[in-house]
Amino acid sequence: MGAADLLFEIGVEELPALYIPPVLEQIERVARAGLEDLRLPFDGLETYATPRRLAVLVRSLTEHQPSHEEVAQGPAARIAWDSAGAPTAALIGFCRGKGVDPSSVHRVQTPKGEYVVVTIRDPGKPAIDVLPALLGTLTAGLQFPKAMRWRVGDEARFARPVRWLVALLGSRVVPVEVFGLKAGRLSRGHRFLSAGPVEIKSAAQYVETLRKARVMVDQRERKAAIESDLMKVALPGVPEPDEDLVGINVFLVEWPYVFKGVLPDFGALPNEVIIKALREHQRCFAVAMDVVSGSLKHEFLAVRNGDAHGIEHVRKGNASVLAARLADAHFYWNTDLKRTLDQQVEALRGVVWLEGLGTLRDKAERLQSLGACLAARLCPDEAETVSRAALLCKTDLVSEMIGSGKEYASLEGIIGAYYAKEAGESESVWRAIYEHYRPQGRDDNLPDTHAATILSIADKLDHVAGAFVSGRVPSGSEDPYGVRRAGNGVVRILVEQSRHLDLRDATLEATRPFFVADPDLPQAEIMKKLGEFWRSRVEAALEERGIPYDLCDAALEAQVQLDGSNRPRPGWIDPGDCLKRARVLTEFRDDRRFRPLVILFKRVGNILKAATEPLPTSLDRDRLGEAAERTLLDALEQARDRTAALWQRRAYGEILPVLLEMEQAIHGFFDRVLVNVDDTPIRLNRLRLLAEVRELFSRGWDLSKVVVEGERG
């Protein structure tokens, strides 16, 4: 059975760069699944894309489907033939559907009785006969953020008009027809560097044929070329690193050519403004003096779709556009610096934060109050810095740079920090403002300073609280206000910086101003939803860090006693503490004592769950008449004594071994003691003993959530 490479190329008008990576994933997924369904094995599959084409190249695709046998079960034998032995309508219909003659079926005995079956032999078809349907479906089924129609009377949609199709199996054309086009072997080279159609003689020659037509079709090759040329052309400087911008340029060009241009004097403008202007308008790269100083040169790097022909005109054109944009930024900058910080703070009164939740000035006051509470818990020395930074951190939202220069909107906080610096604020204050939006995503940096960390947590807690109070609660995959992102940011800071904070207390502080302003708000309902929200964020953080789901639940559902308090709190209340307990449990899962203890703990839980009478508030030692009862009490008291200081130090790795030593005492109790005796005081006292055992374990873990061998999650 032979094999040949399969090529399928969709030629289009220029696609938006950001559309391409997701659609390549679709093409690969659909092509792999489709070829598997068609029973066509292959050695490898690669996708390619430029702004003008999407392609898939399948290596060594089997040219003929292998033969296949399928045993199909039909009707029961008792209804397959009539009394005269002739096939009934039921059997005839079954055979017609399978394409076989009734004489080819035979009887088999099944657990449900005797049935007829038939073996269907499919010799397979040539690949070139079954591929057209797959390739046509693949093309028409691709999804884009926005699609268009371009043919009168045709409802088919694509991101941009489709202009040509190439479909080859080896050197043979696969007869695909879609969007009114018939596939052939004629592709297109570079729009300006190659003249006329390009003939692809065979699928295996696709990449090299297009290279001769000045199309570097492999996006991985283009990326490597761009990165290499950026470093070379930037010398003696270095390009500002921007992986996303490299990715965008990869899908803006078919034949990359990197060139350098000159920027006008940008004066006192912050680096971030210059980099943003270059990036957003011309997809250009800034150039730094070196990797250490952070000083920018009056140069830019750009990626052209072509070669060096006429490059001076291109260079001047880019420089002219960038100079105009930087002049706009200069205007915003100078206009904003004419206003004092007090004037900017006052201007916050005129901007509504969220409808029904007051102005940005109100938010600044809330951040000052909440920041003071958090500083007292996390770092009291930073209280003054946090208060000042909280008052100023939103002032750039009323600035010309952020309000009028839409391309700079993503520099919120950063611009405000520079304005505070220019106004003479201390470094600790403007640094806190600069970093208070961090982290904005999973891969974003965390705040570096204590004050910035506290302000970041306060800002995100206030955002979450305001969203829930105003009914802007995320649901399903919808989260237009970034509430989950804010919650994830809080949890990530606490976990990765090993900071301990009671999220319930912090949330009470964050919601207090809203409840004071509107006493009619359903406080209990809102707080319940907030608790569920924070639990889900902590759970997600644990799962991202590789904690198995059942051990997550065991840590999350514990009844912890933080900071020496005897008040039990949910296990998720302190995210960093919760992760630590979950990791310790994970480490001990393979301990030989762990599984038996979990089973015993579940038994304790089931017995206590079945109890309908209220338990006594304390244990009556005089009623412990059985030796096994006293042994369990001794083991419990020893474990309490040995772990008392360890709980305070959160030394969970030392606590769990002590608890594991209770296995024999618990086991002996269940072997020798009947809990549910008729004597009510004795029964309740034994239940009280089991409850105290459970309470000790539950300070760290609810072992009833752990799945052991033989159970289902």
Side-chain angles (χ1 to χ4, degrees), residues 33-228:
L35 293 173
E36 183 179 342
D37 289 343
L38 290 176
R39 307 195 316 278
L40 291 174
F42 56 91
D43 285 349
L45 184 151
E46 296 169 334
T47 55
Y48 301 103
T50 75
R52 298 182 66 205
R53 70 200 74 231
L54 301 167
V56 58
L57 183 60
V58 184
R59 301 291 185 181
S60 298
L61 180 74
T62 300
E63 292 186 273
H64 196 287
Q65 292 176 316
S67 60
H68 176 69
E69 287 191 357
E70 175 190 357
V71 177
Q73 182 175 303
R78 56 185 172 78
I79 62 170
W81 292 274
D82 60 20
S83 57
T88 63
L91 180 58
I92 292 172
F94 166 71
C95 292
R96 185 185 302 119
K98 298 299 180 183
V100 298
D101 188 87
S103 62
S104 64
V105 304
H106 57 279
R107 303 169 185 252
V108 296
Q109 192 67 37
T110 75
K112 294 183 178 180
E114 192 177 37
Y115 280 75
V116 299
V117 297
V118 63
T119 300
I120 303 168
R121 294 176 176 82
D122 179 1
K125 298 178 181 178
I128 203 165
D129 292 343
V130 296
L131 285 171
L134 168 62
L135 300 180
T137 301
L138 182 154
T139 307
L142 294 177
Q143 300 296 312
F144 300 91
K146 291 183 180 179
M148 60 184 293
R149 295 196 302 266
W150 66 95
R151 300 176 66 242
V152 176
D154 191 343
E155 293 299 312
R157 293 173 176 265
F158 209 77
R160 293 293 185 271
V162 177
R163 297 307 189 197
W164 76 87
L165 298 172
V166 175
L168 297 174
L169 181 61
S171 59
R172 294 181 295 165
V173 173
V174 181
V176 181
E177 185 171 353
V178 65
F179 297 129
L181 297 169
K182 291 183 178 180
R185 64 175 68 251
L186 296 181
S187 181
R188 306 288 188 275
H190 192 281
R191 189 181 288 277
F192 307 114
L193 303 182
S194 175
V198 176
E199 182 181 12
I200 311 296
K201 293 184 178 180
S202 71
Q205 297 175 348
Y206 174 64
V207 174
E208 286 306 316
T209 301
L210 284 182
R211 191 192 309 281
K212 293 176 182 177
R214 308 303 288 276
V215 173
M216 197 179 292
V217 72
D218 188 336
Q219 62 273 14
R220 293 157 289 260
E221 183 183 358
R222 291 199 307 279
K223 182 174 186 289
I226 290 172
E227 290 175 333
S228 174

Side-chain angles (χ1 to χ4, degrees), residues 81 202 231 270 281 585 606 608 617 622 625 634 657 672 689:
W81 292 274
S202 71
M231 296 300 294
H281 287 290
L585 197 61
N606 291 334
L608 291 172
T617 56
D622 293 336
D634 289 343
R672 299 176 179 84
L689 176 59

